[in-house]
Amino acid sequence: MSLTIEEFGRLVAAKRGSRGIRAAAAEAAVSPATLSRVENGHMPDLKTFAALCKWIERDPREFLGMERNEADEGAGQRRAVVHFKKKKTVPMETAKALGELILAAQRALRAREDLVGR
């Protein structure tokens, strides 16, 4: 079960609690403006996403629709890796479609490895 970006924002806001935005942002190693945007449901860039997942103590896979399994922990595991240029806004439909594409690519890599062997 994956969590949505809105749920991610709520978890970030809950972690901040009654602390001021500046203090919480400093602790999370992001800017106050970025922390505020994420709390309001905006999708962060990859670096910010990783920092905030670490700060709220949640596995990023929970938000990406990926399940943790023992094979993921193995040495030499091939993965689909994607980097995006930063844009000020990305429509939610685009973000969801890109996420589905990334997950499909990862599933295809795993299926290929299972057929061909590692």
Side-chain angles (χ1 to χ4, degrees), residues 65 80 99-114:
E100 289 173 13
L101 179 64
I102 292 165
L103 293 173
Q106 190 167 25
R107 284 190 297 272
L109 279 173
R110 287 183 181 154
R112 182 176 178 264
E113 287 174 351
D114 289 344

Side-chain angles (χ1 to χ4, degrees), residues 11 15 18 22 49 58 72 77 79-80 86 89 94:
L11 289 169
K15 172 76 175 188
S18 63
R22 291 181 193 279
F49 177 67
R58 297 297 288 257
D72 289 340
Q77 178 72 24
R79 298 174 187 202
K86 186 176 180 181
T89 59
T94 301

Side-chain angles (χ1 to χ4, degrees), residues 29-104:
V30 299
S31 75
T34 297
L35 187 63
S36 178
R37 282 193 301 272
V38 171
E39 286 183 1
N40 287 305
H42 292 267
M43 186 168 289
D45 61 47
L46 187 58
K47 183 178 177 183
T48 301
F49 177 67
L52 290 174
C53 282
K54 183 177 179 180
W55 186 60
I56 65 172
E57 300 173 340
R58 297 297 288 257
D59 189 322
R61 289 179 267 209
E62 293 179 62
F63 305 98
L64 300 174
M66 300 170 67
E67 293 181 14
R68 173 178 248 160
N69 62 42
E70 292 176 18
D72 289 340
E73 307 302 325
Q77 178 72 24
R78 290 179 47 177
R79 298 174 187 202
V81 178
V82 180
H83 296 276
F84 297 101
K85 290 185 176 184
K86 186 176 180 181
K87 277 187 99 175
K88 292 189 184 220
T89 59
V90 176
M92 186 56 69
E93 302 81 36
T94 301
K96 286 180 181 179
L98 288 171
E100 289 173 13
L101 179 64
I102 292 165
L103 293 173

